[in-house]
Amino acid sequence: MERLIQANGQPHYGIFASPPGLINYRDYDLRSPMGRKLGALAKWRRFHQFQYFGLISDELIGGCALANLSLAGIGFVYLFHPASGRMIERQFKLPLGWGTRFSQQPDDGVCELRSGANLLRLENVGASREKRLLVELDDGTRIEAAFSEREPAFAPMCINTQAGVNGWVYAQKVAGVRCQGRVQCALGDFDLGQMGAFAHHDWSAGYMRPQTHWNWACLSGAVGDLRVGLNLSCGVNETSFTENCFWLDGELIKVDTVRFDFDRQQPLQPWQIHSHDGQVALRFEGHGLHQERMNVGFMASNFKQIFGRFSGVLRPVGRPEVLIDQLWGFVEDQYVKW
């Protein structure tokens, strides 16, 4: 489909075989819970968008995110070296999004944040189906990473669901793809291709609930010769449809609703993650985390992204089980008011 919002002002809902060309949110017929039509200012204020690019390998873990929250532009980047336990991380918060730009084309365009000599840039290239990450920091850190969904063929999860009484959330997820590139930083000099690194990617936007919470799990890696990716979530996209799935050599396999069982006050303690249909049974053990906390009254966030190892089993229907043995990945525990 060319546009997510139809001529009648309502979104297309469901799980799509391919991404929409444009998230044309300004064409959405946004109304109050009591049915009053809302104007351009409310459409701008309520619309939020974020994009995330993650790197996974035994030698280096990394993540970079950009978010457009209307009243603020937010970005973070971190790198974690499992062998030494050392970590580099930076956070940026720019009022009204000054110094940022965000494309509303999920498969094409640039999202970036500039702050002084620092640049966080995520580029999606429609013709080649490539996702590219460029980070340049004033301390000399440089990250260049890229992957393609074309060679070998990969089927992303593309979904749009209702959110609350008057909202919707479009999400596009990828995990279990090999990536190429280079990382230069105080932790060392890393060639992502030589390391056999994997990547995952998240592009999300919409009119999310004014207060929302989610848990999320993602892993990427190899089980023998099989490329495996996983995307599970609880709290955002469960209205009629869910984004839960895993990938085997790029083939998307749908999963039912999931339960995250963990101690919110001790997020580095083990997590248990199970799907209702029995296709996923995993244990996650955290090795480190990136966290942010903000509370300025009208906006608040309590965010924890934990990186560590998954063990357990995936049970695709009608196929042999896939044993997961200490594969690196991420989980999140996030509360936000916006």
Side-chain angles (χ1 to χ4, degrees), residues 76-148:
F76 71 76
V77 60
Y78 68 82
L79 294 164
F80 174 70
H81 187 235
S84 66
R86 297 171 60 203
M87 184 171 175
I88 296 170
E89 56 184 328
R90 295 285 293 274
Q91 303 174 18
F92 303 93
K93 294 180 174 66
L94 304 180
L96 298 177
W98 292 329
T100 68
R101 61 170 169 152
F102 286 85
S103 168
Q104 273 78 59
Q105 296 175 273
D107 253 10
D108 208 4
V110 170
C111 297
E112 70 175 21
L113 177 151
R114 292 180 181 270
S115 178
N118 303 290
L119 170 67
L120 310 181
R121 189 175 198 269
L122 288 158
E123 180 181 6
N124 303 332
V125 184
S128 60
R129 294 184 64 194
E130 282 186 293
K131 305 291 188 288
R132 300 172 182 169
L133 168 68
L134 173 63
V135 173
E136 297 174 336
L137 301 182
D138 54 16
D139 63 2
T141 297
R142 182 178 178 87
I143 305 171
E144 291 183 89
F147 67 85
S148 173

Side-chain angles (χ1 to χ4, degrees), residues 1 202 267 277 324:
M1 93 196 64
D202 177 352
D277 59 14
I324 305 299

Side-chain angles (χ1 to χ4, degrees), residues 28-49:
Y28 176 48
D29 183 13
L30 178 64
R31 295 178 180 261
S32 75
M34 302 306 294
R36 179 171 57 89
K37 194 174 183 66
L38 301 177
L41 180 61
K43 289 184 182 182
W44 167 79
R45 173 66 183 89
R46 289 279 313 280
F47 181 77
H48 303 308
Q49 176 181 347

Side-chain angles (χ1 to χ4, degrees), residues 157-175:
M157 165 59 73
C158 306
I159 183 171
N160 192 51
T161 61
Q162 292 178 280
V165 67
N166 63 348
W168 48 266
V169 180
Y170 174 77
Q172 186 170 320
K173 306 291 183 81
V174 172

